[in-house]
Amino acid sequence: MTNQDVVVSEMGIAAGAALPGGPAGPAGGLFACRSAAASMRQTYLDLAAAAVAARSASCTSWADAMRASSPTRSSRSASDVDEFTAWVRKHPSALSKFEEIAAKSRGKKIVMFMDYDGTLSPIVADPDTAYMSDAMRAAVREVAKTFPTAIVSGRCRDKVRNFVGLSDLYYAGSHGMDIKGPSSNPESALCQPASEFLPMIDEVYKTLVEKTKSTPGAKVENNKFCLSVHFRCVDEKRWNALGEQVKAVIKEYPKLKLTQGRKVLEIRPSIKWDKGKALEFLLESLGFANCGDVLPVYIGDDRTDEDAFKVLRKRGQGLGILVSKCPKDTNASYSLQDPTEVMEFLLRLVEWKRKSSSSSLMIRPRV
């Protein structure tokens, strides 16, 4: 992998400093992406082999996985309610436990990370119409004024930036493979560790569009450094056939891997980079990597967000909040049920921070 695979700029440090509470990080911090890229080649063969092994699973297992990752909403039975109640005891609501979260946040520099689909906007049938509400946008704007804030999404960075419509944020698209700072530094691309895969991704995109034409409701989305095959509007009886079509295409590209999300199949480069790596890189860029008084807060709803939750657990520092109305295996500590609860939590967090800051100023002794 050449140096061209990772695009970094010293302007990224200025972008980090421009964010609220974001000190300029050490010069070495900005090159975390370059260091990670250098190590990718060493682990690439193992990752590619693992991807090939995963693709050898039967089509039926893929369909089962598609169903497991995309539960159909229906009325809950008594046993379902009991299961959810037990799950919430293990992953309590971030709203009901807000005072506990506030206590953990006291004296800490909060850094906010949020997914987009299913977290800031509702999941909709057409991914091109996943607009966030004006009220949510206003809430995110207040969060960005108060804390360093990043949106980490599987979407193309430009697309999620257009959906959110706010400039003073970091945007990490393509599951963190395309990171850019606030628009005050429009030429500063912080990290693009999968640049060499762009021609391959474009080629696979064209092939998948053609192959999936026979499946009504299927939609292929080009997210620049990764692809999404949405099957939310596909009859469940056709999921097997769709999975087989996608697998047949990806089989010819051993450098790519296939995973599942909420009614979506994801095609990504087989490199050791994900939302967790993006979180670590952004903390490094902001100068917070080795700070004991920083508290990263990550809110997300999908399987890909688990990589970030795992990083927070491994660090023993930070809060993971899963957005879900049904029990899921997760490394998150807390939960919220939907974007409406996410908005309420964000507003409460901003209000708490402002009140606590005002109180600190009022009791500061005179000198």
Side-chain angles (χ1 to χ4, degrees):
M1 184 170 291
T2 67
N3 289 341
Q4 293 177 339
D5 295 330
V6 184
V7 184
V8 295
S9 167
E10 291 182 3
M11 293 177 70
I13 291 292
L19 284 171
L30 190 59
F31 294 93
C33 184
R34 190 183 297 276
S35 299
S39 67
M40 286 174 191
R41 193 64 72 188
Q42 298 176 6
T43 58
Y44 176 75
L45 291 177
D46 289 339
L47 289 166
V52 171
R55 283 194 293 271
S56 67
S58 68
C59 185
T60 301
S61 67
W62 267 110
D64 291 342
M66 290 161 75
R67 293 186 185 93
S69 63
S70 311
T72 303
R73 290 184 181 178
S74 59
S75 57
R76 292 178 179 172
S77 65
S79 61
D80 290 336
V81 172
D82 290 342
E83 182 184 3
F84 183 72
T85 301
W87 183 81
V88 169
R89 280 198 293 268
K90 188 176 180 181
H91 308 283
S93 166
L95 290 173
S96 65
K97 292 292 185 178
F98 186 81
E99 293 305 318
E100 177 179 291
I101 292 174
K104 292 179 179 179
S105 305
R106 196 163 288 115
K108 302 290 181 67
K109 297 172 184 176
I110 296 174
V111 185
M112 295 297 300
F113 299 88
M114 295 174 284
D115 186 18
Y116 182 75
D117 293 277
T119 299
L120 299 180
S121 73
I123 297 293
V124 295
D126 182 357
D128 289 335
T129 62
Y131 305 114
M132 67 192 303
S133 67
D134 290 339
M136 179 65 87
R137 183 172 293 103
V140 174
R141 183 183 291 112
E142 293 305 307
V143 169
K145 288 179 182 178
T146 311
F147 314 107
T149 301
I151 307 297
V152 187
S153 172
R155 298 273 199 153
C156 169
R157 175 173 53 78
D158 289 340
K159 181 174 287 187
V160 75
R161 166 66 176 80
N162 290 335
F163 274 141
V164 176
L166 299 174
S167 59
D168 296 328
L169 287 78
Y170 276 89
Y171 288 94
S174 302
H175 299 289
M177 287 183 281
D178 187 11
I179 303 175
K180 196 170 185 179
S183 58
S184 55
N185 293 298
E187 301 303 320
S188 175
L190 287 181
C191 186
Q192 293 180 334
S195 296
E196 67 175 276
F197 291 90
L198 284 176
M200 185 184 300
I201 292 292
D202 288 339
E203 181 179 317
V204 173
Y205 170 70
K206 293 173 184 176
T207 304
L208 284 173
V209 168
E210 187 63 31
K211 293 289 185 181
T212 59
K213 282 181 178 179
S214 60
T215 305
K219 182 179 179 64
V220 184
E221 184 178 14
N222 190 336
N223 293 312
K224 191 171 182 177
F225 293 101
C226 60
L227 302 172
S228 299
V229 181
H230 299 274
F231 56 90
R232 184 167 298 278
C233 295
V234 175
D235 189 319
E236 189 171 339
K237 295 177 182 178
R238 293 179 175 266
W239 287 7
N240 262 340
L242 178 62
E244 185 175 359
Q245 288 174 328
V246 175
K247 278 183 59 183
V249 172
I250 303 306
K251 185 178 180 181
E252 303 301 317
Y253 297 88
K255 292 184 178 182
L256 300 179
K257 63 181 177 180
L258 180 61
T259 59
Q260 318 94 39
R262 291 177 64 179
K263 287 193 168 71
V264 64
L265 297 175
E266 303 275 8
I267 296 94
R268 289 189 272 170
S270 294
I271 61 175
K272 199 172 183 179
W273 196 269
D274 50 40
K275 290 184 176 182
K277 292 291 185 182
L279 183 152
E280 291 179 314
F281 172 76
L282 285 166
L283 288 176
E284 182 83 13
S285 300
L286 288 164
F288 291 137
N290 300 311
C291 293
D293 62 346
V294 67
L295 187 78
V297 177
Y298 190 105
I299 309 176
D301 75 306
D302 209 348
R303 285 189 175 190
T304 56
D305 298 306
E306 289 297 323
D307 294 316
F309 296 150
K310 289 175 184 177
V311 166
L312 295 181
R313 279 201 177 272
K314 185 178 180 180
R315 289 172 63 95
Q317 182 185 31
L319 303 175
I321 303 175
L322 177 69
V323 183
S324 180
K325 288 188 175 181
C326 59
K328 294 180 180 180
D329 290 334
T330 181
N331 284 281
S333 302
Y334 298 94
S335 65
L336 293 167
Q337 291 203 24
D338 51 38
T340 300
E341 288 198 353
V342 171
M343 182 170 66
E344 183 180 350
F345 174 79
L346 295 178
L347 292 173
R348 286 186 66 179
L349 193 63
V350 168
E351 181 183 17
W352 168 81
K353 179 61 177 178
R354 291 177 179 172
K355 285 183 177 179
S356 61
S357 297
S358 297
S359 299
S360 298
L361 290 173
M362 289 176 64
I363 64 174
R364 181 175 296 173
R366 294 184 178 181
V367 295

